[in-house]
Amino acid sequence: MIAAMAGGLGLAACGEQKQDRHTLVIGMTQYPATLNPNIESMLAKTYVLAMTRRPFTHHDTDWNLVCALCETLPTLENGLAVRETLANGKQGVAVTYTIKQGATWGDGTPVTTKDVLFTYEVGKHPASGVADGELYRRILRIGVKDARTFTLHLDRLTFDYNAINSFQVLPAHIDRANFKDPKEYRKRTAYDSDSTNPGLYFGPYRITEKKIGSRIVLERNPTWWGKKPYFKKIVVRIIEKTAALEANLLSGSINYIAGELGLLLDQGIAFEKRHGKDFDIQFKPSLVYEHIDLNLENPFLKDRRVRTALILALDREELSSRLFDRRQPVADSFVHPLDWIHSKATPRYRYDPARAGRLLDAAGWAKRDSKGFRVNAKGRRLTFELMTTAGSRTRELVQQILQSQWRKAGIDIRIRNEPARVYFGETVTKRKFKAMAMFAWLSAPESVPRLTLHSSQITTAANNWSGQNYTSYKNPEVDKLLDAIEIELDRPKRRVLWARLQKLYARDLPVLPLFFRADPFIIPKWLKGIRPTGHQDPTTLWVEHWRAERP
Amino acid sequence: MNAAHHAMTKPAMGARTVWSLFFHRLGAHRLAVGSAVFLAVLGVLAFATPAIEAVLGVDANLVDLSRRFQGPSRAHLLGTDELGRDLLVRLLYGGQVSLFVGIVAALASAVTGTVVGLLAGYYGGRLDAFLMRLTDGVIALPLLPLLIVLAALDLTKLGLPESVVQDPNISLYRIIVIISLVGWTTVARLVRAAALSVREMDYVLAATAAGAGGLRIMAVHILPNVISPIIVASTLSVGNVILLESVLSFLGLGIQPPIASWGNMLTGAQELIWSSPELAFYPGMLIFVTVIAFNFLGDGLQDAMDPRAIEG
Amino acid sequence: MTRYVMGRLVESVIVLVIMSFVIYALIGLMPGDPIDLMIKSDPRLTPADAARLRAVYGLDKPLAERYLHWAMAALSGDFGHSRLYVQPVLDVMPGFLLNTFNLMGLTFVISIVIAVPVGVYAALRQHSAGDYAINLACFAGISVPIFWLALMLIIVFAVLIPVLPASGVSSVGGGGFLDRARHLVLPVVTLTIFSIGSYTRFMRASTIEVMRQDYIRTAFAKGASRNRVVVRHALRNALLPVVTIIALSFGTLFSGALITETMFAYPGMGKLIYDSIMGNDFNMALVALLFATLVTLLANLAADLAYAWLDPRISYSGGGGTPR
Amino acid sequence: MSAAVSQGTAPLLEVRDLVKHFAIGGQGLFARSLGRVHALNGVSFAIGPGETLALVGESGCGKTTTARVIARLYRPDSGSVLFKGTDLAMLKGRKLKSARRALQMVFQDPYGSLNPRLPVSAIIGEPLVIHRLGTATERHHRVETMMVQVGLNPRDADHYPHQFSGGQRQRIAIARALVLEPELIIADEPLSALDVSIQSQILNLLKDIQEDRGLAFLFITHDLAVVDYFADRVAVMYLGHIVEIAPRAALFSTPRHPYSLALIDAIPVPGGGKRRLGTATAGDVPNPASPPSGCPFHPRCARATEVCRETMPALAGVPNQAEHQVACHHPLEDGALEGGAGPATGAPRQ
Amino acid sequence: MSSASQAPHGDLGPVLTVRDLEVTFPTARGPLRAVGGISYSIDPGRTLGVVGESGCGKSVSALAVLGLVPPPGQVTGGTIALGTLEVTAMDEGALPAIRGERVSMIFQEPMTALNPVLSVGQQIAEAWALHRAGTAADAREAALTMLERVRIPNPVERYANYPHQMSGGMRQRAMIAMALACGPELLIADEPTTALDVTIQAQIIELMMEMQAEFGMAIQFISHNLGVVSEIADDVMVMYAGHIVEMASTEQIFSNPRHPYTKALMETVPRLGARATRLPTIAGTVPDLLDLPPGCPFSDRCPLADEGCRQAAPTLDDLGGGHLAACFKSQEDGP
């Protein structure tokens, strides 16, 4: 053992790593499974791919929709989007995009409408394994004007008609051969079988090395049309355990921890206290909405007074300030305060134990048992099972705080957590949680919560457990609002609808809003140009602006 | 050498009973005695935690966000944890849980293993072959999927009453059941091997010749003579279970909060290792010291129960 | 002998087939399927998408049918595609296997190389201060939670005294022998500390037992020096039981390094198995687990053969020993 | 082959054509057995009430197997064990239990034959418990009586076996065998693990018991001197066969089988002077897994001829001595013992 | 001090001279004297039989000659000399040079005394190679010769046999071959025939006698069996509770035992053709070495013992004609 250690030190002495100022090593906690941009969406993949390619549209750091691969964002105003009436009489829209001048695959082949058509072909094929079928179903057909310009004919006119963030163009010249048998495509796609093929990428970087489960190496892509990136090489290393991640950062074997997939907030806060002078630490509030889904079929939770009392009995401000240093804003609804659709008129539930008590008294939970918990007339205790993913430390902490706060109000909380695989794979999806399920949604700015709130999205065996309305929330007015918001193009009018929706949501409380998560970005002082977005589009969409300013 | 050995030990044993000899030999193993004392103190402390809690005037589960990460003080002798709870009392409760899980799971494994081992060792033949292949199978069984499946089982479907399923300690019982389901193989093998040799002893033949049935022979003649390896293995396995619980916690499959166990306290503190190392230090040390104590105790028991020493 | 080995191999194959179904069923019985997870990570998926994807992944059929389908394909050499790594499982595994082989092989060799002499030393000086210290160290190694040990080693040797890489298999652009070796140091030390204690204890106990045997006295009586007695007469006999234990532990070592691999971000088999189970990568998990089972079975066989090789009394060809 | 019974009375125990083989090897579910050890090859004899038959032979000859088959610790492959008219070989369960109540065993090793975890009272009283005889008090009383009878102090009833010396332990084992008041005791080498000075004590005890109770003994030993002292009749076994069976005096005065003579010849006599070189019987006892053809003793026998190599001789009465039977093609004549014409110097034939 | 040897061997001194040898084992209840100060010697070519029951110290004293008293036992007094070489004064590291070379030992249980994982031939060759310079082939040659000399048929085949592949008699022959490989002056045989069948026992006794004739070594033959000792020994030494109680030539001992223990021992053993109704017995059991009676160790069991025997231990004295006994009564009575 001692010998082994000595040997180790010997090795250490002779092979110390040299610091290369043109190499950036990023650490993150998740390995991207597939690299095919259209199969499965996964944050780790999005993060890496954003360095190697660009979507047609995405949201910028101010949460506005911008063009990345297209020349101009088509709008009804600028005439690139045109209303059209469909054969069935419904309102559709034709949106025209032009591929950016100079967009060229890494092997020199230009990105053309051929690729667009191929992507559409793949996307709409039922057997291809593409995850997001919705967008491709909405595209009725694609009109090609020339090698760079094409028009999407969409089956309805929604307010976000021009956002095609998930239309990720695929290289027809490489991957078409792999699509001969659509069923096999997801296994054969060059992104996974030949990941380092330069022809797959057209962004500032291309992938030159992939070590499964361990790291991905990117190098500058010579065919990139935009600003020349500063770093010659970027290495993304996968280190799952955040404690180890931190150790790696401190030991210098990684330079930067991706905020999107990095440390937990409290680790970040603690890190700032100790290493604030060496690192620039940013806490960006994000569109990750932490909440508790309530099972509205639970007899106790059916009563809105109980639900209201539940949230009134929580001191979320205290929780946020103590646990998260006020970095995570308390949520009043699913809408982030920074989102333009956020309505100030939404009812806000401040900590009000007295009112909570009155509500519970009124709901028939006036009596207390020997342990101080409320009981109803039948002597049954007011008790709920609170579930979340096991092993997720922050959530477990929050859980315990909630439990403790609710206890003061006489509400008994039983905690039962499950591994993510079981929790999301079964319990939540199939609505098997008895009362409360805590988890988060990650969304884009102004995204319509149809899947989570519309009564048609209640998951049942009949609909194959799809949809995401796990609370079994049914409100005809909400259904109507969701339908209306989608097709309302006028922002002020839409704002009114949004406000109403938020109000209903906050009143009905199918979900207990907790807060919006903030990700700590731990950036060494010399690393400049990283601007956290706060939504689902990653910072790496601006990777060409990253640079080192070493003394 | 035999003669000398004989002359040396036989008279020395003369007046002593098996137990006094056993304690005498155990007493000579100072580390084992120290470990036993340590474990006894720990056990008493852990199971007297509610009283200690009352005396100190703290509440193990009371979250107080205004008192997070406090250093030792008169109110909190070891300070507070990340949720402002008293660290000392939580450690004691954690000890209660870890010891309980360790001891109960080890006992349950020992019982299963003993039954399997006795049957296989005494009856031999096809039953033995079957039970041993079963044992091999369980050893080769991938633990992880099993753990996940068990963690996901809907216990109400197994006919368990709601009150049990709703029990806040259910994660604890799950762990015990899971560990017992897979942990019996060592004891089974040991007992089988011991039973195989004891089965050939003349006193077993004598009992058979006197007309004793299989049950009686196993209970009266074989079991008491294979009890030493069972006790030793079980003592050692208490330590292993405590370690295993911490590993399960590490994987998120362990005992769920707010119940404290050393395993989940250590796992939770891991991410705070840089800012509050003491949160990881205490449970880590306690696991380490407790497991090592069980190992020493097991080692001491093994020496003290060495059949060579008793038989003379 | 050959017949015995053949028989054992046939037995192993049968066990393997049974295990393949058990594992398949276990994974299949676990709640949730990949599509559920996909839905979770992409809120825009619709019911239709889910149904379509289930069909694409073949998850809409009953378990037994899926197993048969898999087994037939496996027999023709197609072990399926990894869902997580989007490559044939047989292409994914070698990399992990090689890493595990390096990690485990090294740990294994170092542990034995240290444990054997140390165990013998302790046995020969039973109850001495050295024996005492060795025992203490062994128990310490056995008793420390391994993830804790890993973290401590990282903190000490990668952060406080930054002499070794904290994680990974090789550095970027590196990957030379020295570089890989450096990356192996901490995980190997961790696993070695963890496994060496029990090996040493076994070796010690075994040696003590052997040194009490009559033939040791015979060896002394014919004038062999102490060293010669230990090396030529005691060692081989003492190794006998230890070989079995070590070979058996090889199987667990193989799949049991999950914690170490996780802590050191070292992509090995333990982690592959864990991730594929957690990530619902059916084919991957199945093949990796089966492989681990196979290794365990082979280790078992190897243990028996090693035993036979070391101990002439064991003869698998029959006609050997005479019962009394 | 039929067993000769002394005195012409109905035998207490009659063993007929016992055959017992043991499989060697064969572990695992799919392994086949690799061979068989022929432990008993048609063993027949009888013991009358109150009679002592000594079974003599060297290790591996099957004498212990014979004992265990009779006590039904092993089930014979074929043959019968008629004990008081009941065939024990065929019985099972409760019937077997009650049938063998009158048949008890004493084992060789007094250290291994007593359960170290039970006090002496429990050891001696166990057969009573098994057969549900008497109340606890009665049993206790009975145990004390037995202890006195075998020369133990009843005050030691709570002690454990390890607190007794070897001789005392063998007394405990004898008490256990006697507690059910059996009619036949099978004593398997009851002396060989004891110190020389203790052997005589135990031998006397056995003899006293036999005389007091009129017990029959099957006395298994390799020590012919003890046989001469204790037995009424002697059966000599070699490699699973009984090669000679005769009244004690006849066997020692006029052994008929060359092997019997070899055994008698090999006994060292204290004060008999130095051993004469070249008188020892050559060769090893063959491996029972691969016994020689024909007469099992032929490779070591100086008198062996072609017929011995081919045919196993049957056990047959010596002319004019019905009780003296020998299985030999070339039995010794009278006076072989003195003549020294014995089997002595046969060269090893292997 | 006197010698058990009867035959004068001219100027050759004894092969082995043991004086006041004392071997002690520390125990929890105090030191246990397994050998309580014994003196004897063996002349070249002679065989000394050592008789006694278990625990009398006969094996331990023999092991002491090779410096192999099992720990924690220690030689706590007296001297052992091989010829003129004082073994007890030698360095631990020098002892291996003597073992196997000048004095060899064979044991009761040849199965356990042989290393199970080495072939018999290898083990014999090793015994030779440890003390003789030569190549591996030389050692093999020497081993084959030895196998032949101990009358093992097919030595070349047997060379490669492992102990478990041999019968008990063959194993003991191999042990003897190993012990005699370097032609020692003294062979210590510790119950070498006890584990063997009677016909094989006779063979081994014959073999040892033949070997003695061939090699001319002295033999210290330990046995609890008076018959065996009587067949092989020139002189006999009877031990009881760590002490020598009687020592004389074989003929003297068996024809005229002087110590009550020796007498009793001979009478209690059943003899062929000497059928009696009851065997004489020795009362009581072998004494606890930690709790010996104050006087003569045998006084508890001795029918002749009186107050004097219980108070003082008798010394081993010559009763005339080299017949030694440690008994007050034998001195009184005379032959």
Side-chain angles (χ1 to χ4, degrees), chain D:
Chain D
M1 286 193 293
S2 77
V5 180
S6 65
Q7 332 302 331
T9 55
L12 178 67
L13 172 78
E14 187 173 356
V15 170
R16 282 191 201 146
D17 292 325
L18 280 190
V19 175
K20 176 74 188 167
H21 295 173
F22 291 104
I24 354 174
Q27 34 167 234
L29 283 177
F30 306 101
R32 254 173 278 160
S33 112
L34 300 164
R36 317 193 124 246
V37 172
H38 302 252
L40 299 182
N41 283 315
V43 168
S44 304
F45 59 83
I47 302 175
E51 187 191 31
T52 300
L53 175 72
L55 203 52
V56 183
E58 292 177 291
S59 52
C61 72
K63 53 190 195 296
T64 293
T65 308
T66 308
R68 292 185 177 182
V69 167
I70 294 170
R72 261 310 299 279
L73 296 173
Y74 301 151
R75 187 185 265 277
D77 292 342
S78 68
S80 57
V81 179
L82 289 170
F83 181 64
K84 294 167 71 180
T86 320
D87 189 356
L88 293 184
M90 295 301 120
L91 289 185
K92 268 187 178 178
R94 192 156 297 168
K95 281 184 179 166
L96 174 66
K97 188 169 153 182
S98 60
R100 66 178 174 194
R101 221 180 98 178
L103 186 159
Q104 292 296 317
M105 274 192 93
V106 176
F107 294 86
Q108 169 178 357
D109 179 9
Y111 293 88
S113 68
L114 304 181
N115 186 339
R117 308 277 170 183
L118 293 183
V120 169
S121 56
I123 291 174
I124 299 177
E126 192 186 21
L128 297 173
V129 176
I130 291 169
H131 291 276
R132 293 165 209 254
L133 298 176
T135 62
T137 335
E138 283 164 17
R139 286 200 293 259
H140 182 73
H141 191 72
R142 179 112 189 89
V143 167
E144 290 197 340
T145 319
M146 284 319 304
M147 287 183 77
V148 174
Q149 281 192 19
V150 298
L152 292 168
N153 189 340
R155 270 181 305 178
D156 295 341
D158 294 335
H159 289 191
Y160 285 83
H162 72 270
Q163 291 165 292
F164 294 89
S165 68
Q168 287 172 313
R169 288 187 193 212
Q170 201 59 302
R171 289 174 193 270
I172 297 169
I174 291 168
R176 173 178 58 191
L178 290 177
V179 78
L180 285 178
E181 310 208 315
E183 292 164 53
L184 173 67
I185 286 191
I186 302 170
D188 187 0
E189 303 253 16
L191 305 177
S192 59
L194 301 175
D195 269 329
V196 189
S197 68
I198 308 300
Q199 286 187 3
S200 53
Q201 296 175 2
I202 298 299
L203 205 49
N204 282 338
L205 174 66
L206 289 175
K207 193 139 190 171
D208 292 347
I209 288 166
Q210 191 199 21
E211 282 163 9
D212 289 356
R213 304 185 171 219
L215 279 177
F217 267 89
L218 175 60
F219 194 91
I220 291 166
T221 184
H222 64 274
D223 188 344
L224 280 176
V226 172
V227 170
D228 190 27
Y229 175 71
F230 194 62
D232 297 321
R233 283 193 304 135
V234 185
V236 180
M237 281 191 84
Y238 191 77
L239 225 58
H241 297 271
I242 289 187
V243 295
E244 184 166 5
I245 185 164
R248 177 191 58 80
L251 185 91
F252 286 107
S253 59
T254 53
R256 297 299 180 184
H257 198 283
Y259 178 63
S260 307
L261 178 63
L263 279 181
I264 295 168
D265 240 20
I267 301 169
V269 184
K274 278 215 182 187
R275 187 166 186 89
R276 278 180 297 134
L277 286 181
T279 54
T281 306
D284 267 337
V285 181
N287 183 347
S290 50
S293 62
C295 173
F297 189 60
H298 84 254
R300 304 176 72 189
C301 182
R303 303 165 74 93
T305 59
E306 204 49 45
V307 64
C308 300
R309 278 169 214 122
E310 281 158 14
T311 330
M312 172 65 208
L315 196 63
V318 173
N320 308 324
Q321 286 172 282
E323 285 184 9
H324 196 153
Q325 292 179 308
V326 66
C328 183
H329 294 299
H330 311 295
L332 299 169
E333 302 75 29
D334 289 354
L337 204 53
E338 290 78 33
T345 44
R349 273 153 247 189
Q350 292 186 1

Side-chain angles (χ1 to χ4, degrees), chain E residues 43-238:
Chain E
D43 283 339
R46 301 281 289 183
T47 301
L48 172 67
V50 182
V51 182
E53 293 178 283
S54 56
C56 71
K58 57 191 193 297
S59 289
V60 176
S61 56
L63 287 168
V65 174
L66 285 98
L68 285 177
V69 174
Q74 271 186 318
V75 172
T76 43
T79 57
I80 298 166
L82 287 170
T84 53
L85 181 68
E86 199 174 311
V87 178
T88 32
M90 279 170 72
D91 205 48
E92 182 75 23
L95 285 172
I98 297 169
R99 299 176 188 147
E101 164 73 23
R102 299 192 59 181
V103 51
S104 282
M105 190 156 177
I106 60 177
F107 302 96
Q108 173 175 344
E109 193 39 89
M111 183 68 215
T112 59
L114 286 167
N115 191 330
V117 303
L118 297 177
S119 82
V120 164
Q122 280 175 305
Q123 297 187 55
I124 300 169
E126 187 193 16
W128 185 85
L130 280 168
H131 302 287
R132 297 282 181 274
T135 63
D138 296 339
R140 185 187 155 84
E141 203 47 51
L144 286 172
T145 313
M146 283 313 300
L147 283 170
E148 214 168 336
R149 288 175 82 170
V150 296
R151 321 276 188 268
I152 290 182
N154 305 327
V156 180
E157 270 173 44
R158 288 300 188 178
Y159 185 93
N161 274 182
Y162 290 97
H164 73 278
Q165 292 168 313
M166 288 183 150
S167 68
M170 285 295 161
R171 284 195 282 262
Q172 198 59 291
R173 283 173 193 269
M175 274 299 288
I176 292 170
M178 189 160 74
L180 300 183
C182 294
E185 300 149 37
L186 174 66
L187 173 68
I188 299 177
D190 186 0
E191 306 250 13
T193 62
T194 306
L196 303 175
D197 286 319
V198 271
T199 56
I200 309 301
Q201 169 172 287
Q203 292 173 10
I204 295 298
I205 290 172
E206 283 192 10
L207 177 71
M208 290 186 71
M209 292 167 76
E210 288 171 54
M211 291 300 109
Q212 191 173 34
E214 251 182 272
F215 289 80
M217 76 282 184
I219 298 178
Q220 179 173 339
F221 191 100
I222 299 164
S223 179
H224 67 272
N225 189 324
L226 291 171
V228 171
V229 169
S230 136
E231 285 204 325
I232 194 169
D234 300 309
D235 309 296
V236 176
M237 166 171 129
V238 181

